[in-house]
Amino acid sequence: PQNCSEYPKQYVSAGSNIQYSYSVYYEKSEVTWSQRWEPFLHVRGKPMHWYSFLDSLLIAMLLAILVASILLRTVRGDIARYEQGPGEIEREDTGWKLISGDVFRPPPSPGSLCTYIGAGVQVAACLFISLAFMALGLISPVKRGALMTWILVTYFMLAVLGGYAGVRYHVNITRSK
């Protein structure tokens, strides 16, 4: 590395040319091209942070229990009002009864929605399977292009699953009309 304070300062005014320069210094390495990923792939002996893992899991479970209890309390109150008699039902429409018409209405363009759902299932399955194979060590970035080839082949193979999910959802939507 060189000291940059040795060079004279360059003052720039409007319309003047700016001189750019750089230099590169290469060092010969004993690591071969095929072994360049070895330090990153063999991360053995590192302790897992169990406290952070369990803390995150506990917080997620507590939030899920909180949301479930609020939802259960709301639905239980609506069911209790239904059981009281017809006078109570006609008098008050609150909670999920107000949005049930919007929730159970079929979408305006079911073909597009089913296409998006099928493509999402295909991409999600491709991502999950690729990550699982990488976690098991069956796919390695050492072999150039192997990861991209694996992802493309998996994506094309899972087109059947994406098509099935899209068609299945389309059948369910058109059957409910």
Side-chain angles (χ1 to χ4, degrees):
Q2 289 182 329
N3 187 1
C4 293
S5 63
E6 297 173 4
Y7 298 106
K9 294 182 181 176
Q10 182 182 20
Y11 295 99
V12 180
S13 60
S16 65
N17 291 333
I18 301 173
Q19 297 176 1
Y20 295 101
S21 68
Y22 69 94
S23 62
V24 178
Y25 178 72
Y26 293 99
E27 290 183 12
K28 182 154 179 72
S29 174
E30 300 298 324
V31 178
T32 63
W33 178 261
S34 62
Q35 294 175 341
R36 71 189 188 285
W37 281 98
E38 289 299 321
F40 303 108
L41 294 177
H42 297 291
V43 185
R44 306 259 191 259
K46 297 269 184 175
M48 182 162 179
H49 300 282
W50 286 105
Y51 180 73
S52 299
F53 176 72
L54 292 176
D55 188 35
S56 300
L57 188 64
L58 182 66
I59 288 173
M61 287 175 53
L62 287 176
L63 287 174
I65 290 171
L66 178 70
V67 169
S69 66
I70 291 172
L71 185 64
L72 187 63
R73 186 181 304 168
T74 303
V75 172
R76 192 177 288 166
D78 288 342
I79 290 173
R81 276 191 231 118
Y82 273 135
E83 291 175 352
Q84 286 179 357
E88 184 71 24
I89 295 172
E90 294 170 0
R91 185 172 57 94
E92 185 179 347
D93 277 341
T94 60
W96 61 272
K97 292 179 283 185
L98 293 175
I99 63 168
S100 65
D102 294 331
V103 171
F104 299 116
R105 182 177 9 164
S109 58
S112 297
L113 177 64
C114 296
T115 304
Y116 296 144
I117 288 174
V121 166
Q122 183 179 358
V123 169
C126 177
L127 178 70
F128 177 74
I129 290 173
S130 298
L131 286 175
F133 273 70
M134 282 187 275
L136 293 173
L138 299 175
I139 303 172
S140 175
V142 172
K143 297 177 185 168
R144 299 176 76 186
L147 177 63
M148 186 57 72
T149 303
W150 170 260
I151 290 174
L152 285 174
V153 168
T154 307
Y155 180 77
F156 292 137
M157 299 276 288
L158 291 172
V160 175
L161 180 65
Y164 174 77
V167 169
R168 182 77 177 172
Y169 195 74
H170 191 271
V171 167
N172 287 341
I173 286 176
T174 55
R175 192 180 296 165
S176 64
K177 284 184 180 181

